[in-house]
Amino acid sequence: MAQENIYTDPATKSMEELVALCKRRGFVFPASEIYGGINGFWDYGPLGTALKNNIRDWWWRQMVECPPIGPDGEPVEIVGLDSSIIQNPKTWEASGHVGGFSDPMVDCTETKKRYRQDHIEVLIVDDKGCWGFPENNIDYIAKKLKKANVSRDDGTVKNLTDIDTSEYEKIIAPDTDKPGTLTAPREFNLMFDSHAGAIKSDENKVYLRPETAQGIFLNYKNIVDTMRVKMPFGIAQVGKSFRNEVTPRNFIFRSREFEQMEMEWFCAPAESAKWYDFWKHERMRWWESLGVDKANLRFRDHDDDELAHYSKMCVDVEYKYPFTAPGYGELEGVAHRGCFDLTQHQEHSKTKMEYFDQAAQLAAKEAGKSKEEIAAASKYIPNVIEPASGLTRAVLVLLCEAYTPDPDRPAGVYMKFKPKFAPIKAAIFPLVNKDGMPEIATKLYHELRQKYVVQYDAKQSIGKRYARMDEAGTPFCFTIDGDTLNDNAVTVRDRDSGQALAERLPLDQVDAFLAAKIAE
Amino acid sequence: MAQENIYTDPATKSMEELVALCKRRGFVFPASEIYGGINGFWDYGPLGTALKNNIRDWWWRQMVECPPIGPDGEPVEIVGLDSSIIQNPKTWEASGHVGGFSDPMVDCTETKKRYRQDHIEVLIVDDKGCWGFPENNIDYIAKKLKKANVSRDDGTVKNLTDIDTSEYEKIIAPDTDKPGTLTAPREFNLMFDSHAGAIKSDENKVYLRPETAQGIFLNYKNIVDTMRVKMPFGIAQVGKSFRNEVTPRNFIFRSREFEQMEMEWFCAPAESAKWYDFWKHERMRWWESLGVDKANLRFRDHDDDELAHYSKMCVDVEYKYPFTAPGYGELEGVAHRGCFDLTQHQEHSKTKMEYFDQAAQLAAKEAGKSKEEIAAASKYIPNVIEPASGLTRAVLVLLCEAYTPDPDRPAGVYMKFKPKFAPIKAAIFPLVNKDGMPEIATKLYHELRQKYVVQYDAKQSIGKRYARMDEAGTPFCFTIDGDTLNDNAVTVRDRDSGQALAERLPLDQVDAFLAAKIAE
């Protein structure tokens, strides 16, 4: 049945289970849960925070501290930044976010609810009527349409954006019974606004940044003037951004407060296509380094008609989320932004953003280029390639990727994180809480905690302890048992196989074993 | 002259030099500088971000991943959290921030400027008049009072808070010439507000958190229910907070957007005094571990009359900032918050915050306590000890502490960071860019960058390269020179002495040398 395929995909069920596990094990909690929550905001619990920090640190290490080797065999140059969330509001006029950064919205005059125009789908049943419903809303389909004695198969479904406004009078809006209550679409700005300073006035209106990128463009000139960087180079930052999404959804996929990892790569215009290609493939390599299955990742080039006005080329790295499967959804965008941003800021701030490229000038002269060619190569506003990804979205991907049902285990599921990203690297168990075992286990724990995030657990049966570590995604459990007193070795329980390794591991090799696994 | 002593303290000059160095070397930039800045907001440049991350990671390691050993010889238990900046607004009603979190402000009806009442000082010259001026405003003193033909020595200075409102009519406000334009003080809430959702109304008004602590209290119940923690335990988080300060000042000391490192320690009421004492001393130890001179740190116990209404005891760890010297200013507060916060949230959310303490119950029974005593020991709303410090303030302290003028060096100054916190751990220089030296230097650089933040520099004279590293606070420079080709060793230039170490360091020992220095 078509209805089942579209609206009750098995993926939805697994998302529900994942969200439940995230709450049960302290990965992600709904924000302000004791006050009934707040739509679009999430808190990261102890395990979720550790997972997020691990991904953040890996991105920072591979992007800023030890950036990749470029086409010339030398590491590319990238510096870090941490700019303010609130900036001078002129920033957002220059960037186009004041005015342009908005979604068309429709209001329902009956229920006073507001919807994103492109999130409403309309079921058109020739002579019976037109039912509007929030896209993919299973409840609506099941209850409301049934009540009206129509089914999805009776008609055709169109997105509201594909219906002429003059036809809106026929549409029965969600949660209403009569047609014609939807207004024509209006623009709604996605930036949160506030006021800085003691007086609330238009003059001191400020915005929470909707992207970290503009903080980088604001500091481009400062970095060039102070850090002795030479073209090409990058500026990277990790930080929170805010978008007042009308319909936050899909767990932490689309929330109103989220964390980004963005890098702006500045280069000579003539070199931009080469670097676009470099970063496109480099970013895919990075996602694979997280342990994400290649089969769940793909590139999707933007068509010309979906490119932002400033963008020359853009490719998304997409992931097969449970709620998009068998389709894919956005994970990271690698955009060729041309010289749009720096030119805008130059115009609005009257600060020269031109770069004098001594090396390119020399090369052009040596190549016998014309005067005009030499001038063009020597002085330019750089082009920008932007690999922009979501840190909180990366957390979601690793949670989805790790979630592995296994009915044979007590927990019924285990979280298969690559050791490098696992919130807890290892657990240390005395088999029983006596006979000298706790003493050895405690000693090992005290040693390992100096270098790794490890947990000591002596409570309940060993099976229950394994089950807890399966849900936390802890790759290894070291058990001190009766034999340890004689052979100075431990049992290593491997999370993925659910079995003990054949070989016992000498106590003095545990550190090296763990270090090697985490480095993988 | 008294005027000089009060208003042109030498410290002010050294702060100006520090701020200039911070900008010149990419530690801290004014936010939105190309748009003329924005009062109270700062961006952290490449070196400042690295310094900040290093402090953050050390706090997290010592607080969450490898927390200190408690009085019983075992590590205390602390879990990490990363809660949302925007929470359900009921949070701030319960915490007392809506309504209570405010500063008394006075307006000037003439200039329309607004001032914090306690930031205005008044020079009273008996029969000539009363001049109000922003405290410590040297410009005002120099220009305005001179114009009026009075000097500071002619009268006495009082803070505006010490003057009765009925006397305000005599005061000549800053930037005015006639008396009586200051209004009586009014309360002004320090929280930034905004709206979540598509419609702006009182119903969906939200606030940017003024402290990270409340996000912890909101999740106390979730953590107890999911993380198998037992009393006593802590919840820690690092993150941004926002306070709409009327007069942000002293560089990054008091800004409107800042970063906090807060831990809430939950314990049985009967044990709270013991833990207050534990955390007080533990936090001082931590600040010393950053390499801060003990002479510049001190405790200051709050007097009863300056305690917040919810607080039973509070001690500040204070630092001798250049702008407070010879006095001290706040760095971290360790507060005994009693059961105030959890009780407030219990009342407002109707969620039970009581903890059932099985271990305490057993102990009370075994000690033969009365039924009432056993009941009281078994079930309680925990008390909270809160060590709350500013991450951005910690950056300021390390910048102040590291800043070491040295007229004998080319840069005139060097930044004496402890290697663990230095943004760049080492620089690798070929003495000259030929004769096989760059090849060896490049090889060493490629090896070291896998583990450390290091920089390769082959540009300009070796003296200039040292000078750059002095200002960046890089503790070691490894120079590959003519001898390296024969002895496979490098010269180690030590930042603090400004000299080469007597012994050359074999190439294959550079890694271990650096690791040992960073571990110190």
Side-chain angles (χ1 to χ4, degrees), chain B residues 21-54:
Chain B
L21 179 136
C22 282
K23 191 184 160 190
R24 186 169 77 240
R25 290 301 316 199
F27 283 97
V28 183
F29 303 125
S32 299
E33 199 177 10
I34 60 172
Y35 291 110
I38 173 168
N39 193 12
F41 297 91
W42 299 89
D43 292 345
Y44 292 79
L47 297 190
T49 304
L51 177 62
K52 184 154 69 70
N53 289 351
N54 290 342

Side-chain angles (χ1 to χ4, degrees), chain A residues 31 36 65 79 84 124 135 144 160 185 342 357 359 404 474 505-506:
Chain A
E65 297 180 345
V79 298
S84 204
I124 303 166
E135 60 168 348
K144 302 286 166 173
L160 187 59
L342 290 181
D357 193 330
T404 314
T474 307
L505 183 67

Side-chain angles (χ1 to χ4, degrees), chain A residues 32 35 43-44 52 61 67 82 84-85 87-88 193-194 197-198 200 219 244 257 345 449-450 468, chain B residues 32 35 43-44 52 61 67 82 84-85 87-88 114 193-194 197 200 219 228 244 257 345 449-450:
Chain A
S32 299
Y35 291 109
D43 292 344
Y44 292 78
K52 183 153 71 69
R61 177 112 264 274
D82 187 23
S84 204
I85 288 171
Q87 297 282 355
N88 188 306
D193 57 26
S194 189
K200 281 196 180 180
N219 282 290
N244 202 353
E257 176 175 338
H345 286 299
R449 72 188 282 271
Q450 300 298 330
R468 286 197 285 266
Chain B
S32 299
Y35 291 110
D43 292 345
Y44 292 79
K52 184 154 69 70
R61 179 112 261 278
D82 187 24
S84 204
I85 288 172
Q87 297 283 356
N88 188 307
R114 180 169 283 180
D193 57 24
S194 189
K200 282 196 181 180
N219 282 290
R228 304 176 65 242
N244 202 353
E257 177 175 337
H345 285 300
R449 74 189 281 272
Q450 300 299 328

Side-chain angles (χ1 to χ4, degrees), chain B residues 358-420:
Chain B
Q358 216 170 352
Q361 186 185 49
L362 196 68
K365 276 183 183 167
E366 284 176 352
K369 300 274 171 135
S370 73
K371 219 171 177 179
E372 291 70 29
E373 286 171 321
I374 295 172
S378 321
K379 211 172 180 185
Y380 52 80
I381 293 182
N383 272 10
V384 170
I385 309 299
E386 173 193 83
S389 55
L391 172 53
T392 34
R393 208 166 268 187
V395 170
L396 176 58
V397 167
L398 286 208
L399 286 170
C400 291
E401 196 71 9
Y403 189 90
T404 313
D406 181 353
D408 293 339
R409 301 197 188 204
V413 63
Y414 65 104
M415 297 298 285
K416 197 175 175 174
F417 299 115
K418 203 171 162 176
K420 193 192 293 294

Side-chain angles (χ1 to χ4, degrees), chain A residues 272-291:
Chain A
S272 62
K274 178 185 88 177
W275 286 112
Y276 173 76
D277 198 56
F278 175 82
W279 283 112
K280 171 179 169 175
H281 291 98
E282 175 56 32
R283 293 308 302 152
M284 181 62 92
R285 185 201 63 73
W286 188 83
W287 285 105
E288 289 170 8
S289 80
L290 297 184

Side-chain angles (χ1 to χ4, degrees), chain A residues 319-381:
Chain A
Y319 177 72
K320 197 196 280 178
Y321 297 96
F323 48 82
T324 58
Y328 291 72
E330 191 194 1
L331 173 52
E332 167 157 356
V334 179
H336 186 318
R337 299 179 72 121
C339 61
F340 174 79
D341 303 275
L342 290 181
T343 305
Q344 286 293 107
H345 286 299
Q346 173 169 292
E347 276 175 23
H348 283 75
S349 72
K350 311 295 174 207
T351 304
K352 282 275 178 214
M353 297 292 176
E354 276 176 334
Y355 179 84
F356 176 58
D357 193 330
Q358 214 170 355
Q361 186 185 50
L362 196 68
K365 277 182 184 167
E366 283 176 353
K369 299 275 171 130
S370 73
K371 218 170 178 178
E372 291 72 27
E373 285 169 322
I374 294 170
S378 323
K379 210 170 179 185
Y380 51 81
I381 293 181

Side-chain angles (χ1 to χ4, degrees), chain A residues 83-103:
Chain A
S83 70
S84 204
I85 288 171
I86 293 177
Q87 297 282 355
N88 188 306
K90 287 175 190 160
T91 306
W92 311 109
E93 289 168 22
S95 71
H97 285 90
V98 171
F101 188 61
S102 55
D103 282 327

